[in-house]
Amino acid sequence: MAEERSLLEELDAIVGSEEIRAQIYPIVDRVRAELMGNEKAQMTWEPVPLAIYGAALPSGIRSSWVFVLRSGATTGAERHPNSHQRMMSFEAIGDLQVRAELADGGEGQWQSNLLVSDPDAPLERRWISIPRNVWHQAVVPEGPDWIVVSFHTVPAEELIEERPDSDDPVGTKQMRYLGADLVP
């Protein structure tokens, strides 16, 4: 737990740097424009080149992303079978809900984690750590779109998103964020 907090503090200091934020904002603008141009999308995203962060990234971080989540959207359950995700609220607010697995293998209730973008708020109110294979979903209140910066433990081209399969109550479908191709 202390090790994870230390890693989040390190990432927070990096993303809190005005130099880094200045390099992230053009990505935010592109991703926001993409969302505005696609009325059906609940969210849009783009990987952040790791070079933006220089040599400052902690070991184990292999990709970074900007996501813009539409106001009023609930993205639905997803998980990453091949990556631990650390995510921060960059602009606006949202509820990143996680669902814990029960001891019997069943699924527990969604647990809310209201994240804010106030740099003076405690770390736990701005960041969340989502271990591999943990179901999560974003619930964005009406108001401004929610912008988040996310870090993963796999390279961008390898990041897999897994969602429940609407055609199979016990199955899932996997895709990669880059190219949005289904994973065989």
Side-chain angles (χ1 to χ4, degrees), residues 14-26 88 90 117:
I14 293 166
V15 179
S17 154
E18 287 305 316
E19 292 174 36
I20 301 297
R21 293 178 80 81
Q23 294 182 70
I24 291 174
Y25 276 116
M88 64 133 356
F90 192 77
S117 299

Side-chain angles (χ1 to χ4, degrees), residues 32-49:
R32 182 182 277 138
E34 186 179 338
L35 183 67
M36 289 173 63
N38 184 347
E39 291 180 14
K40 293 181 182 179
Q42 292 187 319
M43 64 180 165
T44 51
W45 59 86
E46 183 178 314
V48 176

